[in-house]
Amino acid sequence: MINRISVSDGRITKEVQACAVFGVMDRSGRRFRGGMVINAMKNMRVRGNGLGGGFAVYGIYPEYKDCYALHIMFQDDDPGLKQEVDEFLHRNFDVVNDEEIPTNEEASVEDPPLFWRYFVTPQKKGEDKNLSDDDYVVKKVMYINTCINGAYVFSSGKDMGVFKGVGFPEEIADFFMLDELYKGYIWTAHSRFPTNTPGWWGGAHPFCILDWTVVHNGEISSYGTNRRFLEMYGYYCTLYTDTEVIAYAVDLLMRRQRLPIEVVAKIFAPPMWDQIDRMQENERKFYTTLRMVYAPLLINGPFTVIIAHHGEMIGLTDRIRLRPITAGEKGDMLFVSSEEAAIRAVCSHPDRVWTPHGGEPIIGRLRSN
Amino acid sequence: MAMKSHLLPEFIVERDNERCDSCKVCIKQCPFGVHYYDEEKDRVYSREELCVGCQRCVVYCPKNALKVIPYPKHYRPNDYWNESYIRDIKKQAESGGIILTSCGSARRTKIYWDHILLNASQVTNPSIDPLREPMELRTFLGRKPDALEIDLENMEIKTELHPNLMIEAPILFAGMSYGAISYNAFKSLAMAAKKFGTLFNTGEGGMPKDMREEFKDCTIVQCASGRFGVDPEYLNYSAAIEIKIGQGAKPGIGGHLPGEKVTAEISSTRMIPEGTDALSPAPHHDIYSIEDLSMLIYALKEATNYEKPVCVKIAAVHNVAAIASGMVRAGADIIAIDGFRGGTGATPKIMREHVGIPVELALAAVDQRLREEGIRNKCSVIVGGGIRCAADVVKAIALGADAVYIGTAALIALGCTMCQHCHTGKCAWGICTQDPELSKRLNPKVGAERAYNLLRAWSLEIKDVLGGMGINAIESLRGNRDHLRGIGLEEWELKVLGIKGAGE
Ligand code: SF4
Ligand code: SF4
């Protein structure tokens, strides 16, 4: 029998938005508080409109290092909803600990939903036994997101978490008390300027699967091509944002196909044929094949994206640099930002500040001791 | 007793006698014998009933003395019993036979291209200026792997790849055989394809020996039900092989090249005796099922050492999506879908006008189906059958095609005026004819230049449209139906096309 995947017929409405992105990493692995990244986002306040802000932080739960940390939002006050999720989680995981995510009642955000975090380890049964832990978690997270109405998993990686919502980034930071409560070695942040959808807490960024997070700015013109290609690999875009498409593409290429970012950057933002045709034989062959095979994952149109997972933070801009990204470094600290001013606002004497070419990734990796 | 014909002329030939100086050029130019010279009156006259409206004499009259215009509606106006039905009935009452015609469907049916509108960027996403920035149309046709295994240190790709064709724009010349078209027309297309960096297709009539070496890298060789001219050398002097199952102008039936057209050259190219009819059976008699197709695909791959992609071409029929899926599973690297407006050198009118479906709908259904089955990147999809302009190409790519075939448009570039008389073998423009006097009217150098210019012009237009959408590589348009909107379409049509209505 032919196995037919359910794919959408192409008639969906995509969200359009503009944004600011910022990321900072201490490559020595030292963990630091969020004040710096919050200030950087304040500096770029005009790039958002208060309809969405969010942060991803790595290294925040060292005491639960081996558990998947699920940050879950409950949209409705309905106690039955949380009970449904609790039961689902207990059926499928060992829930090592769970608690409400602490929030600041005084923060100036409107109608925040309920947030809960669960530290879990997989309890695989039946045919799920063949799945890797990661694939199992993805499957269960997808289930909650698509099948349990009103519950939404913000993040699902180990020793990391996503905090996001409707408001300016500094308001969201205040709400989750990020500066006071958490220390991490990578912080990425996003401020949103949606042009066609009302704010929704789940619609804010970063976007996360496992410990992979993506913050993104831009409007990709290849959205339909990318989305329809990813559907063939079982990724269904439920949020209809460009960020979601990029996040799934990252998951497919980097996690499932194990391609390094150096290659993935050349798939998202490949060199021009003119350039490839002038390369030496083996390089030319390499790039030609890459473009030929991964053509549907070329990300066209303006974008700046910051991708992070444990041990790595990557900044990338589109192939013709329609949305430039600026990088800076000082000692072990690496910054990537929509604007240079934001870097200078939080690091007065950087060793170096530069604007990389389109398709040239800025890669921050943990230094091996 | 001779029967008086009741048929009325289709055209009026108007000669301005003030301008005409009886130079007789028109007499020489017209292969249908319309113009004649009356010595007594020292004037040129015409037999209008013979005129097919090919406009050759109009273009070549040195005095601009001629006008060929459609005959005014002759019968009492009637939407139902219109001219075309009355004429056909009269014709059949006189001949007792099938009505033969050529080219593609001329009947009024919904043209979906004209109900689809394109998008452009404003504010949130910048458009890109094709005069300042590179715009890339390079296209690869063939099977792609799901993933690549890469040895980063040596920048080496370890995955074994299937052969792919590289073309500089997503436009190829469709199969038109030497036999159906003249040697000069055939060669014009080959030369244009080579110069531009795309491919032409031999059609089912084999490849003239003298062209093999020069054009082997830009030739798709066809293997059709008649197997004309197919031998190992033919298969190997090519960039790709196409198995032709059917064509849009006449799905489900074969072909017939009358013996008078089988000249010495055609006989040696097709490998059949001179002067015998070249009959292509309706089906391939070794393909009665999808398993049989698979065997032929692999036989051809064996014969060419798995170095060439194999394409299978079918007519767009009702369950085209399921058939296409079967073809991919049978091993086809490329599938070509020919819509019901596709052209031909000769076809019964009933087939041309009533069999098959529009390629727009067929394409949308096939692309969607292959994605649902997760096999879309296991093949490339080429569509043809009525692609008229660069906008049609853009719409086809956005609906999901990898590239398009152009046949009729290419012939129009060479000189064809769509007179629909190819089947008479008397093409005044030297295209659809084997008459040496007529063929030599088309100089392959000039023909190639015209066909090349057309490819160039369309490419420029495609780049303009892409730039407007904020896209700088054609692959980002492929299957990107977000950039399309329908107008004047019913809900079911929008659904099949997978596009939203304008304003949605
Ligand atoms: S070609 Fe023109 S000028 Fe010459 S005979 Fe014909 S109509 Fe007259
Ligand atoms: S190819 Fe020649 S005969 Fe056929 S339609 Fe065109 S002009 Fe007429």
Side-chain angles (χ1 to χ4, degrees):
Chain A
M1 248 333 271
I2 289 167
N3 195 6
R4 283 176 74 169
I5 307 169
S6 92
V7 307
S8 61
D9 64 2
R11 299 190 295 165
I12 53 105
T13 304
K14 192 188 77 168
E15 207 179 274
V16 179
Q17 58 193 339
C19 315
V21 295
F22 189 85
V24 50
M25 174 180 194
D26 190 322
R27 288 171 287 189
S28 73
R30 187 185 60 89
R31 302 189 303 136
F32 54 97
R33 293 199 183 279
M36 181 191 281
V37 68
I38 296 164
N39 285 333
M41 292 311 283
K42 268 194 205 157
N43 183 274
M44 295 190 283
R45 188 177 164 108
V46 291
R47 297 182 71 97
N49 64 357
L51 286 180
F55 300 82
V57 203
Y58 291 80
I60 52 175
Y61 299 128
E63 62 277 31
Y64 295 109
K65 233 168 49 206
D66 300 322
C67 299
Y68 291 90
L70 307 181
H71 282 194
I72 303 185
M73 170 188 91
F74 298 96
Q75 187 116 320
D76 300 326
D77 288 336
D78 174 15
L81 174 63
K82 174 149 188 305
Q83 199 184 333
E84 187 183 350
V85 171
D86 282 352
E87 279 168 12
F88 176 80
L89 291 175
H90 281 101
R91 258 201 321 277
N92 293 289
F93 296 94
D94 264 337
V95 179
V96 176
N97 196 359
D98 73 291
E99 60 185 2
E100 187 175 350
I101 299 181
T103 53
N104 172 9
E105 307 278 299
E106 313 282 285
S108 66
V109 294
E110 261 174 61
D111 297 331
L114 173 68
F115 293 96
W116 211 268
R117 63 186 163 211
Y118 300 80
F119 298 96
V120 302
T121 54
Q123 265 294 341
K124 291 182 267 189
K125 292 187 246 347
E127 59 180 45
D128 282 349
K129 281 203 172 122
N130 300 326
L131 295 177
S132 69
D133 282 5
D134 278 355
D135 285 336
Y136 180 78
V137 172
V138 170
K139 186 173 166 189
K140 300 301 166 191
V141 167
M142 288 274 180
Y143 179 85
I144 298 176
N145 287 350
T146 53
C147 301
I148 305 187
N149 228 331
Y152 187 74
V153 183
F154 274 13
S155 60
S156 47
K158 293 175 180 171
D159 194 17
M160 59 79 67
V162 166
F163 303 89
K164 60 182 182 179
V166 176
F168 280 102
E170 62 268 27
E171 293 165 351
I172 299 303
D174 186 25
F175 176 69
F176 287 109
M177 301 183 284
L178 296 185
D179 193 31
E180 298 89 57
L181 299 183
Y182 304 96
K183 274 165 116 184
Y185 70 97
I186 299 176
W187 288 75
T188 65
H190 186 263
S191 173
R192 221 172 143 224
F193 196 136
T195 48
N196 68 346
T197 42
W200 172 58
W201 285 68
H205 306 188
F207 193 89
C208 174
I209 328 179
L210 299 170
D211 70 338
W212 294 85
T213 58
V214 173
V215 290
H216 151 266
N217 166 25
E219 193 200 335
I220 56 182
S221 48
S222 55
Y223 178 81
T225 301
N226 307 143
R227 178 178 58 79
R228 295 184 76 217
F229 182 77
L230 288 164
E231 280 176 352
M232 284 206 295
Y233 294 86
Y235 296 98
Y236 304 105
C237 294
T238 50
L239 296 173
Y240 305 130
T241 62
D242 292 338
T243 314
E244 192 183 20
V245 152
I246 296 178
Y248 290 148
V250 166
D251 187 65
L252 175 67
L253 297 175
M254 295 189 69
R255 185 177 68 83
R256 277 168 59 179
Q257 299 192 359
R258 303 199 175 286
L259 295 175
I261 182 62
E262 288 83 350
V263 172
V264 173
K266 300 301 175 196
I267 292 172
F268 288 171
M272 297 288 162
W273 285 119
D274 279 1
Q275 238 171 308
I276 295 174
D277 290 346
R278 285 195 306 265
M279 290 173 180
Q280 289 195 335
E281 159 117 31
N282 68 327
E283 234 188 321
R284 190 176 67 234
K285 241 174 110 184
F286 176 83
Y287 281 109
T288 302
T289 310
L290 203 64
R291 281 198 70 173
M292 179 181 103
V293 172
Y294 288 111
L297 288 178
L298 189 160
I299 311 276
N300 221 309
F303 72 81
T304 313
V305 60
I306 303 174
I307 300 163
H309 66 132
H310 270 302
E312 213 171 43
M313 179 181 78
I314 302 134
L316 182 68
T317 172
D318 59 84
R319 61 199 308 233
I320 55 173
R321 210 162 61 176
L322 295 168
R323 284 286 147 88
I325 191 169
T326 302
E329 61 184 352
K330 186 176 174 89
D332 283 328
M333 300 296 275
L334 173 73
F335 303 90
V336 284
S337 171
S338 294
E339 294 180 9
E340 183 176 334
I343 298 177
R344 295 201 180 269
V346 297
C347 172
S348 47
H349 298 289
D351 303 338
R352 182 159 87 104
V353 172
W354 75 103
T355 306
H357 286 295
E360 294 298 334
I362 306 156
I363 304 169
R365 289 205 172 105
L366 269 187
R367 302 202 195 289
S368 43
N369 3 334
Chain B
M1 200 177 78
M3 200 189 267
K4 158 106 184 115
S5 174
H6 289 172
L7 295 174
L8 294 168
E10 288 180 282
F11 292 92
I12 303 180
V13 180
E14 266 182 25
R15 191 181 322 271
D16 183 337
N17 284 319
E18 295 270 291
R19 294 185 181 180
C20 174
D21 64 358
S22 303
C23 73
K24 301 181 193 153
V25 165
C26 51
I27 300 176
K28 200 158 165 265
Q29 287 296 325
C30 183
F32 298 94
V34 172
H35 308 277
Y36 65 93
Y37 177 63
D38 186 320
E39 243 170 85
E40 238 167 68
K41 302 205 171 102
D42 185 27
R43 260 177 65 179
V44 179
Y45 291 91
S46 30
R47 306 179 191 94
E48 317 207 294
E49 66 281 9
L50 298 178
C51 179
V52 302
C54 78
Q55 308 289 350
R56 178 81 189 182
C57 58
V58 177
V59 171
Y60 279 84
C61 167
K63 298 285 176 206
N64 274 334
L66 286 168
K67 252 192 233 162
V68 173
I69 46 185
Y71 207 87
K73 293 270 176 226
H74 359 263
Y75 302 111
R76 177 176 290 277
N78 187 325
D79 264 354
Y80 193 73
W81 293 101
N82 64 30
E83 298 293 322
S84 153
Y85 290 104
I86 297 177
R87 185 177 172 83
D88 285 353
I89 290 171
K90 290 189 180 299
K91 234 192 224 172
Q92 291 185 301
E94 286 166 21
S95 72
I98 283 173
I99 297 182
L100 264 189
T101 183
S102 43
C103 299
S105 175
R107 219 154 63 97
R108 185 181 302 178
T109 38
K110 200 161 193 169
I111 301 168
Y112 285 91
W113 302 126
D114 296 342
H115 288 269
I116 297 175
L117 302 170
L118 299 170
N119 192 30
S121 303
Q122 301 286 292
V123 184
T124 54
N125 177 345
S127 40
I128 304 170
D129 186 344
L131 294 176
R132 291 156 202 261
E133 308 263 2
M135 280 290 151
E136 305 184 313
L137 303 186
R138 188 176 286 179
T139 294
F140 291 86
L141 301 174
R143 187 172 284 245
K144 318 282 190 297
D146 275 337
L148 286 181
E149 203 192 318
I150 294 173
D151 167 5
L152 255 194
E153 240 146 77
N154 303 311
M155 272 224 162
E156 219 182 289
I157 295 192
K158 314 263 296 257
T159 312
E160 217 178 300
L161 294 164
H162 294 273
N164 264 261
L165 304 169
M166 185 177 94
I167 50 179
E168 293 303 338
I171 308 169
L172 308 89
F173 294 127
M176 289 176 280
S177 71
Y178 172 37
I181 61 174
S182 64
Y183 180 85
N184 286 357
F186 191 82
K187 189 154 183 192
S188 298
L189 298 179
M191 288 164 68
K194 182 170 181 183
K195 182 169 172 210
F196 186 82
T198 186
L199 302 157
F200 92 110
N201 185 314
T202 61
E204 61 173 315
M207 178 72 169
K209 285 239 175 352
D210 64 312
M211 286 177 63
R212 289 188 183 182
E213 187 56 45
E214 189 179 352
F215 295 104
K216 63 177 189 294
D217 296 329
C218 63
T219 306
I220 297 178
V221 294
Q222 209 178 56
C223 169
S225 62
R227 297 286 199 277
F228 300 121
V230 178
D231 67 8
E233 185 195 288
Y234 169 73
L235 295 174
N236 280 291
Y237 274 80
S238 74
I241 302 168
E242 180 174 86
I243 300 172
K244 178 193 145 185
I245 301 291
Q247 76 184 82
K250 42 178 174 178
I253 64 170
H256 176 194
L257 189 70
E260 16 341 327
K261 290 197 187 171
V262 182
T263 60
E265 295 78 33
I266 289 182
S267 112
S268 78
T269 307
R270 294 205 174 205
M271 305 194 294
I272 51 170
E274 202 175 323
T276 53
D277 288 7
L279 286 166
S280 302
H284 286 245
H285 282 299
D286 52 359
I287 304 180
Y288 285 3
S289 70
I290 200 89
E291 304 87 84
D292 293 344
L293 173 67
S294 190
M295 282 206 274
L296 179 58
I297 291 173
Y298 283 97
L300 293 172
K301 288 189 176 183
E302 268 314 315
T304 51
N305 200 22
Y306 293 84
E307 283 164 5
K308 300 176 197 302
V310 172
C311 172
V312 180
K313 172 175 171 177
I314 54 165
V317 289
H318 299 177
N319 50 346
V320 64
I323 299 168
S325 151
M327 281 157 41
V328 178
R329 288 168 197 284
D333 303 301
I334 302 171
I335 58 183
I337 302 164
D338 198 16
F340 87 127
R341 281 193 210 91
T344 177
T347 174
K349 194 168 175 186
I350 188 169
M351 305 306 286
R352 189 189 78 172
E353 304 294 40
H354 299 277
V355 184
I357 63 172
V359 76
E360 302 91 313
L361 300 178
L363 162 61
V366 166
D367 177 69
Q368 182 67 13
R369 177 64 173 262
L370 296 180
R371 284 170 193 275
E372 283 169 8
E373 293 179 10
I375 53 175
R376 179 62 185 83
N377 51 337
K378 293 208 163 32
C379 71
S380 291
V381 176
I382 307 179
V383 296
I387 301 283
R388 302 159 299 173
C389 59
D392 290 353
V393 181
V394 171
K395 292 169 190 178
I397 303 289
L399 279 175
D402 288 279
V404 303
Y405 266 144
I406 57 168
T408 303
L411 297 192
I412 293 174
L414 300 186
C416 162
T417 54
M418 292 297 287
C419 74
Q420 301 182 31
H421 276 71
C422 318
H423 57 289
T424 61
K426 294 194 216 163
C427 176
W429 296 87
I431 298 167
C432 275
T433 180
Q434 299 310 323
D435 177 332
E437 280 305 307
L438 294 173
S439 306
K440 77 174 186 221
R441 292 180 177 186
L442 179 67
N443 176 338
K445 275 213 186 93
V446 180
E449 200 180 327
R450 287 179 187 273
Y452 170 86
N453 283 342
L454 181 74
L455 293 173
R456 180 174 182 273
W458 283 15
S459 300
L460 291 173
E461 288 180 329
I462 295 171
K463 290 177 180 186
D464 257 348
V465 175
L466 283 186
M469 291 175 172
I471 288 176
N472 61 9
I474 190 85
E475 54 257 47
S476 298
L477 180 70
R478 203 157 277 131
N480 198 342
R481 300 181 185 178
D482 295 16
H483 286 288
L484 304 175
R485 287 292 185 276
I487 188 154
L489 295 175
E490 307 270 346
E491 182 55 29
W492 73 264
E493 293 166 314
L494 292 171
K495 197 160 165 254
V496 173
L497 290 168
I499 62 175
K500 294 202 276 189
E504 278 191 88

